[in-house]
Amino acid sequence: MEIFRAPRVTLIARPQFLEPAHLAVQWKGTGSDGERLAEYAGRICYMSQANPAGRSTAEYLENIKKQGHGSVLEHAVYVLLIEGISRSCSHELVRHRAGFGYSQLSQRYVDESNAAFVMPPAIVGDAALEAEWEQQVSAAQAAYVHAVERLMERYGWVADRIHRRKLAREAARSVLPNATEVKIVVSANTRAWRTMLELRTGEGAELEIRRMAVDALRVLRDEAPAFFADFETYRAEDGHDAARATYHKV
Ligand SMILES: Cc1cc2nc3c(=O)[nH]c(=O)nc-3n(C[C@H](O)[C@H](O)[C@H](O)COP(=O)(O)OP(=O)(O)OC[C@H]3O[C@@H](n4cnc5c(N)ncnc54)[C@H](O)[C@@H]3O)c2cc1C
C-alpha cells in the first residue's frame, strides 16, 4: 500500500506573453512572461508604456498589490498538478471557485483497489498512531475490493462491461476513507491563487491543506516572485509551516 506523507506539487503550465511591437513597454529589470503580461495589462490602463516612473517589473507589481488593483493579475494563469492529497483535502480545495478550474481523478472510472492513501500531518511521526491508521485504511481498501466483486456479480446482467464496472466502482467507493489519495489539475489566475493561498496557508487552515498550500506557494513564488514575494513563510508554534501575506485579498 502506497502512503503519502507529503503532497507533490508540479507546475505544468505558465503564461506565454507575446508583446505587440506597435505598443511596446520600456521594461526595467527582469520578469517572467506572466509577470510582464500583468504589468503590460496594468500599463494599458494609463497608457504608461514609456515607464515614466522607471519602475522594474517587481516594483510595478508591488505597487499593484499595494493599491489593490488585483484585476490585472487575473491575466496570468498558472496550472499545477497536485498529487498526494486526500479526498478530504481536495474537497476543501475545490471550494475556491472564482478564477479556478479543476480536473480530478474519478473514483467512478478509476479502479481504487490499489489506491494510495494520505497520512494526515497530525499522525505522521507517531509510530503507534501511524500503525493503527495503516491498519484502518488497509481494512477499508479490502472492503472496497470485496464490494466491487459483489457488485460486479449483482450487475452481471449489464452487458456492457465498462458500464458494469462503473456501477460497481461508484457504489463501492462509498467505503473508501477520506484519506484516499487523489490527483488533481488546478488552473487559476494569479489573483485567485493569492486569495486561496492566503486562506489556506494560514494557521487557521486544516493541517493537510495548509501543507499543500505552503508547497504550492513555494512553487508559484519560484516561478513568479513578483506576484508572491510578499508572502512570508514561517514555522508556526504548532511545529508546521504556515505563511502570511502582506497584501490582503488584492
Ligand atoms: C479556516 C477555514 C475554515 C473553513 N471552514 C468551513 C466550514 O466549516 N464549512 C464550510 O462549508 N466551509 C468552510 N470553509 C470554506 C469557506 O467557507 C470557503 O468556501 C472557502 O474558503 C472558499 O472561499 P471563497 O468563497 O472566498 O473563495 P472563492 O469561491 O474562490 O471566491 C473568492 C472571492 O470571490 C467572491 N465571490 C465568489 N463567489 C461569490 C458569490 N457567489 N457571490 C459574491 N461574491 C463571491 C468573494 O469575495 C470571495 O471571497 C473554511 C475555509 C477556511 C479557510
Side-chain angles (χ1 to χ4, degrees), residues 194-232:
R194 284 187 54 94
T195 302
M196 184 283 264
L197 292 173
E198 189 183 337
L199 286 169
R200 301 300 185 172
T201 59
E203 291 182 50
E206 190 266 348
L207 281 180
E208 192 198 338
I209 195 166
R210 179 172 138 196
R211 180 173 69 179
M212 183 277 284
V214 169
D215 283 2
L217 170 62
R218 290 192 172 115
V219 169
L220 291 167
R221 198 169 43 191
D222 282 354
E223 168 67 21
F227 288 146
F228 300 99
D230 63 301
F231 277 87
E232 179 207 356

Side-chain angles (χ1 to χ4, degrees), residues 95-98 100 195 199-200 204-205 249:
R95 293 293 301 276
H96 296 273
R97 302 157 291 173
F100 275 88
T195 302
L199 286 169
R200 301 300 185 172
K249 205 175 183 187

Side-chain angles (χ1 to χ4, degrees), residues 34 87 95 110 120 128 153 155 162 185 220 226 244 246-247:
R87 192 85 183 177
R95 293 293 301 276
V110 176
E153 283 165 22
Y155 289 98
I162 292 174
V185 170
L220 291 167
R244 52 186 156 231
T246 303
Y247 302 114

